[in-house]
Amino acid sequence: EMLTLPCSDIANLTSSVSTPSAAYLASFNTWLREDCYQPVLALMALVIGSFCVYDGPRVWQTLFTGAVAVAAAGIACYEGGQHDMALASRAMLVVQAVVIAYWATWMGFEGTQVVLGALLGNVAAYGLGGWARFVDAHLPGVALSWYTAGAALGVLVVTTWRRPLLAALSPLLGGFLFAAAGGALLARGLAVLTDEEDFSPLPPADLPFTGVAGALLGEDSPAVLAGHGLAIGLAVLLQADRVGPRPPAVIALVVCTILTAALAALGPECKHLDGPVRCPAWLKPPKDSLWQWSVFGCFVWSAVTAASAWRQLGRRQAASQAASPAAASPARAARQRRSARCPWVAGAPSHSVLFLAQHNTLAFPRPRRARGAGVQQCPAAAPYIKEVESMGIQLRRE
């Protein structure tokens, strides 16, 4: 059907207003703000946030695959409605899209992470690209180069440092969803029980979940998200070797959230500046009642993130020490260095090397790392030599 479309419709595919992605996002935003879905959305966010807070790296593949399947279901449902399909046909289309998207993402998970890294890097570059857009007005191509560099960096980080990235990202994302969903559900529950609407510092009961979550990001959401991205990158660098100290990494994850809470607390005072010095637009709160929820919610977000990050980063360090016990014990490291000079004796159990009973000899194979070396050059062989010679056995040195 693409060839039969008029030229004007084909031209709309490149329009920023009429692109399919813009239509999908507009429909999704409308669906998110419908009041009947708010408790369900908050409950789903609470469950996902709890999984991320507990152990995000372990459930990451399942969560990401499920998110892709849900996105495919939403697109299929939207397209079915645009084509006036019957309910049964639309349901079959949605099921088919979910199964194909889930299976394709699960089987090609590594490839999808490359796409995800490019997307995250591009979003971070856009959030920090105000200077690039300014320079691009005088020197075209700078902004696009900046976004491309961000996408390449995102791919590199996601594919190379995925485990430390998930260990840093999961607590931050889980804490955000936990705080936003918990505040929305608690406010709505209290409103049902008491017939009240104001439960400061909780958000208003009639506020959509997107508004509750958006209040935790402040007025300049792209810049705040870019700041969180930088915090995650710093935490990854601090914990890339699994032996770095945990407190600096945890502080790096929560510092942007604490700054957002501080700016929200200063917002009501900033609006009184109406002289030569005026309050910037990004510091003004959208509503006078939301700044209290922003401060309270950000502190809850910070507390949950700090506790979860401390636990998950500690588990990575414990797993690293269990995988290489010599790294955790200086004595074991010294023994390993001594035995490394004699790889042909290292790891041999006591009273056994290579015993040739038929010839009544004890043969020591020649070490590979020191060709031509004798037994006497390896300190680890001395106990074996002394014990065997005390038994009257003739040694044959090779």
Side-chain angles (χ1 to χ4, degrees), residues 12-272:
N12 284 336
L13 292 176
T14 60
S15 172
S16 61
V17 180
S18 304
T19 55
S21 58
Y24 298 151
L25 290 176
S27 177
F28 181 66
N29 188 38
T30 302
W31 179 78
L32 285 178
R33 294 183 178 276
E34 293 184 4
D35 186 69
C36 60
Y37 298 118
Q38 298 307 310
V40 178
L41 290 175
L43 185 60
M44 290 177 58
L46 183 63
V47 172
I48 295 175
S50 300
F51 277 117
C52 292
V53 166
Y54 178 72
D55 195 352
R58 180 177 297 180
V59 300
W60 171 248
Q61 184 172 357
T62 302
L63 290 178
F64 181 80
T65 307
V68 172
V70 170
I75 294 174
C77 185
Y78 174 82
E79 292 294 340
Q82 292 296 109
H83 290 80
D84 296 327
M85 297 179 64
L87 182 60
S89 300
R90 191 186 305 181
M92 292 179 60
L93 179 63
V94 169
V95 171
Q96 181 180 3
V98 168
V99 172
I100 293 176
Y102 189 91
W103 185 253
T105 305
W106 185 269
M107 297 301 295
F109 181 72
E110 296 299 326
T112 60
Q113 298 308 287
V114 176
V115 178
L116 177 64
L119 179 62
L120 293 179
N122 210 325
V123 170
Y126 182 84
L128 297 174
W131 68 271
R133 289 186 288 273
F134 174 78
V135 176
D136 189 78
H138 307 281
L139 186 62
V142 173
L144 182 60
S145 301
W146 173 250
Y147 301 152
T148 303
L153 180 61
V155 171
L156 179 64
V157 170
V158 171
T159 55
T160 305
W161 292 335
R162 184 185 307 167
R163 296 295 298 182
L165 175 64
L166 291 178
L169 173 63
S170 298
L172 191 64
L173 177 61
F176 172 72
L177 295 177
F178 187 88
L185 289 175
L186 188 58
R188 287 182 175 268
L190 292 176
V192 171
L193 294 176
T194 62
D195 293 332
E196 297 286 341
E197 293 185 359
D198 186 13
F199 301 98
S200 297
L202 295 177
D206 58 347
L207 187 66
F209 177 72
T210 54
V212 175
L216 300 181
L217 298 176
E219 283 297 284
D220 195 0
S221 298
V224 173
L225 291 176
H228 285 299
L230 291 177
I232 293 172
L234 180 58
V236 169
L237 291 177
L238 292 173
Q239 285 289 314
D241 56 355
R242 300 189 180 188
V243 296
R246 278 185 288 173
V250 174
I251 293 174
L253 287 176
V254 302
V255 64
C256 190
T257 306
I258 296 176
L259 288 177
T260 305
L263 293 177
L266 294 175
E269 301 299 328
C270 177
K271 67 181 182 180
H272 298 298

